[in-house]
Amino acid sequence: MKTILVVDDDPDFVEATRLVLEKAGYGVISAADGDAGLKMAREVSPDLVILDVIMKTVLDGLHMSRQMADDPVQRQTPILMVTSIANSDYAALFPTDEYIHIDDFVSKPIAPDDLLRRVGALLSRV
């Protein structure tokens, strides 16, 4: 069974995502911010990370993805960034002129079928 780490501070999003993924046969673990997510990723070595941007700080998820990129083991883990930053007052803070260590990006809300399609595509590369 593939394990997916969902890192998001919105408990409703985490629970809805968990239900969709578990119904599709994935194991799901979660963390509420980038620090806890990074710690969990190091302990569990998930097959995929679903990562929000705005959590404890405005770019918390971006910082987590950068830390994963700097880790020789974690940089191999695919990251699906699912966020609402594009529809927020913080959109201008998100860097668009530099490499970001993510494998796919989608704005919230995401339909269950789209989530499963993107997760499946990312996991097929592992």
Side-chain angles (χ1 to χ4, degrees):
M1 177 187 317
K2 299 285 186 178
T3 300
I4 300 172
L5 169 59
V6 179
V7 184
D8 198 302
D9 62 342
D10 179 350
D12 293 333
F13 175 81
V14 171
E15 187 58 23
T17 302
R18 176 187 311 279
L19 291 172
V20 169
L21 294 172
E22 286 180 346
K23 185 175 181 183
Y26 297 108
V28 179
I29 54 177
S30 62
D33 62 57
D35 291 336
L38 193 60
K39 182 179 179 192
M40 183 81 64
R42 288 179 175 147
E43 291 174 1
V44 177
S45 294
D47 298 290
L48 173 74
V49 174
I50 296 176
L51 181 61
D52 190 13
V53 174
I54 304 171
M55 293 178 285
K56 187 167 49 175
T57 62
V58 175
L59 298 178
D60 193 18
L62 186 62
H63 295 303
M64 179 179 164
S65 72
R66 287 177 177 155
Q67 288 178 301
M68 288 180 69
D70 291 340
D71 183 310
V73 175
Q74 296 304 314
R75 84 169 52 117
Q76 306 304 317
T77 305
I79 298 173
L80 169 60
M81 193 164 270
V82 181
T83 183
S84 59
I85 195 168
N87 303 320
S88 77
D89 295 337
Y90 304 114
L93 297 175
F94 194 83
T96 57
D97 59 346
E98 66 183 73
Y99 173 76
I100 300 170
H101 179 73
I102 59 173
D103 299 278
D104 197 1
F105 181 96
V106 65
S107 291
K108 290 178 182 176
I110 181 170
D113 290 344
D114 190 22
L115 175 67
L116 291 174
R117 182 181 57 77
R118 289 171 186 265
V119 165
L122 290 171
L123 289 173
S124 70
R125 297 187 215 165
V126 177

